Amino acid sequence: MLKYIQTNNSELNSIVEDEDEPREVSEQQTEQTIEKKDKFTVILRKYLKINPNNKDTSQQQDIMKSMSKSEKFSANNKKAKLITERIVEMIALDYQPISIVEDYGFKRVIAAAEDRYVLPSRKLLSQKLIPELYANKKKLLMTEIKMDLENIKSISFTFDLWSSQAQQSYISLTCHYLTNKFKLKNKTLGCSYFPGEHTGNAIYNKIKTMIAEWNIEIENSNSNISIFFVTDNARNISSALSHSGSNFEHISCTAHTLQLAIDDAVKESNMTDLLKRCKAIVTHYNHSNIASERLTETQKRLNLASHKLIQMVNTRWNSIYLMLQRMLEQKDAILIDLPKIKKGQLLFARDWNMIESYVILLKPVFEATKELSREDTPTLSMVLPIICTIEAKLNLFLTSMTQNPGTCFTENLLRSMCKRFDVYKENELLTKELENSNYSLWDILHQRSVSKESTTATSINEVTIEIENYLKLKNIDPIADPLKWWEENYQTFPHLLLVIFKFLGIPGTLVCSERLFSGSGLTVSSRRTRLSPFLAEYLVFLHNNL
C-alpha cells in the first residue's frame, strides 16, 4: 500500500517527516500540514476502493476509522451546525467582535476542542448566519407576543435615543405587559438605526413604524388593549408623544424625574463649587498613577477598603451620590494624601460636613432608583409610596437638624419634588401621611405596611365595597412580590383584578432602554466601529432575546 501511495503522490513523503519530532509551527505551517493530510486521505480512500479484497480487514477498518476522524465536517454536519450556532450566539451574548473567528488564539481553542470543525468566515457570519439567527428569534418572539396580546389588558413601551462610538444614532424599543397568569414580561423589540434630525415628528413616525412591525397600532386603534409609553422628559420626546389621534398615554420616567429634581436643588443651593472641587480630586486620583498608588498605600495603612474614587457623570443617575458617598468612605485616606496635591483642590471641615449631609439626603433617592429599576416586579405601583417616603425623610431632616449645612439643599429638593411629582398626588387616599422614622426608606415603608388603620365600609355599591374591603387589608411587606399575592387572592377581588391587569405591568422607569444602550455601547465598541448599523441592530436584539 505504501508503494502505491508513494508512486501516486511523492509529495506526501514529507508528511511522515513533519510528524517525527514535535515543534512550534506557525499558523501558515499548520494549515499547510492540514492540506497535506487531506491529500493523504484522498490517496488512501482511492487505494482502498481499488483493493476491496485486501485480506487485512482489521487493519483496513482501523485505517478507515482513523481517516474518518481526521476528515473535516461538512457544512450540513449536525455537530458542525451546533458549534456554528453557539459561536454566533457567543458573539451576540458576550459582545465579541465578528473578527474573533480570525483570531489565532480562538482558532487554537476550536482546533483543540474539535479539529474536524471548520470555522465560518467573517463574511459568512455577517451576511448569512447572524441575519438568519436574528430572523428566527424575531419570528419566535412575534409568535409569543401575538399569543399574549389575545389575553392582556395593556402593553407598555419604553424608548430612548443613543449615539455610538461610530457617531451613528439609534433608537431603542422595549415592551412590557402582565399576562393573565400573573407573569410580568419585558421584551426587547429593537435597537434601530435612526439617522437625521430627531424632531418630535420624526421620533413619532419612527416609533410608530417600529411598533407596527409587531402588528400593534398606536393610533386610531379599536383594540381593547390600553397602550402606555414610559420615557424621559426630553422636549423632543414629549413633543413626539403629544401627537393628535394617538391611542396611548404618556408616563414620565420616575428615576429621570428624580434626577431632574436633584439637578434643580444643586443649582439653587450653591453646590456647584463643592462638586467641582470633588470632581477635580477624583480626576486627579483616577488619572495619575503616582497619586493612585499613594492613595492605595494609605488605604492599606488605615485598613480601609481598597476602592477607587467614583467620578460624577451628569448623564448617569445617582452619580452625585455615588461620588460623594465614596469620598466619605475614603475620607481619612484622602485627608492624609490631599495636602500633597494642588492647594485649590483642598477640602475643609465645612466641606466634609456638607458632603456628609448630602449623602444622608440623597441615600433615599438612590435606594428608590434601585428599587424602581427592577424588572422582575411591578414598579409603577411603588412610585407614589416611594416619593412620599422620600419627602417624609426630607421633612424629618429639616425638623431635626435646623442648623445643618444641608438645610438649603433639602428645602430646594423638597420644593422641586413637589412641583415635578404634583401630578401623582391628586388622590388624597394614596397620599396619606407617612410616619416619621430615622431609618432607611424601606423601614418607613415597612412601618406603613404594619400600622395602617382600617376604615368602615359605608357604600352599598358592590364595586365600592370590594375596594373598601381591599383597602382595609394590611399592606404587604414592601419587598414582597405583589404578583404572588394577587395570584393567591384574585378570586376575592374580581372587579379590582381588571385594574391590576391594566396597570400593574407598567414600568415606573425606562431603565430597560437605558440598560439596552449600555449593552449597545459594548456592541459597537472600539473593535467594532466598522460594524454596519443593521448588523448592530441584529446583535443587540439577539443579546437581549437569546
Side-chain angles (χ1 to χ4, degrees), residues 138 142 145 149 157 173 189 204-219 227 229:
K138 185 174 181 179
M142 289 184 76
I145 292 177
L149 286 173
F157 297 97
L173 180 65
L189 302 186
Y204 175 78
N205 289 328
K206 180 67 174 179
I207 286 298
K208 183 176 71 171
T209 302
M210 291 176 71
I211 294 176
E213 291 180 12
W214 299 86
N215 301 313
I216 302 172
E217 296 295 332
I218 63 172
E219 62 181 29
I227 298 174
F229 279 94

Side-chain angles (χ1 to χ4, degrees), residues 41 44-45 48 62-71:
T41 303
L44 278 175
R45 282 193 177 280
L48 293 171
D62 291 341
I63 293 172
M64 290 293 290
K65 188 176 180 180
S66 177
M67 286 165 52
S68 65
K69 287 183 177 180
S70 64
E71 281 183 345

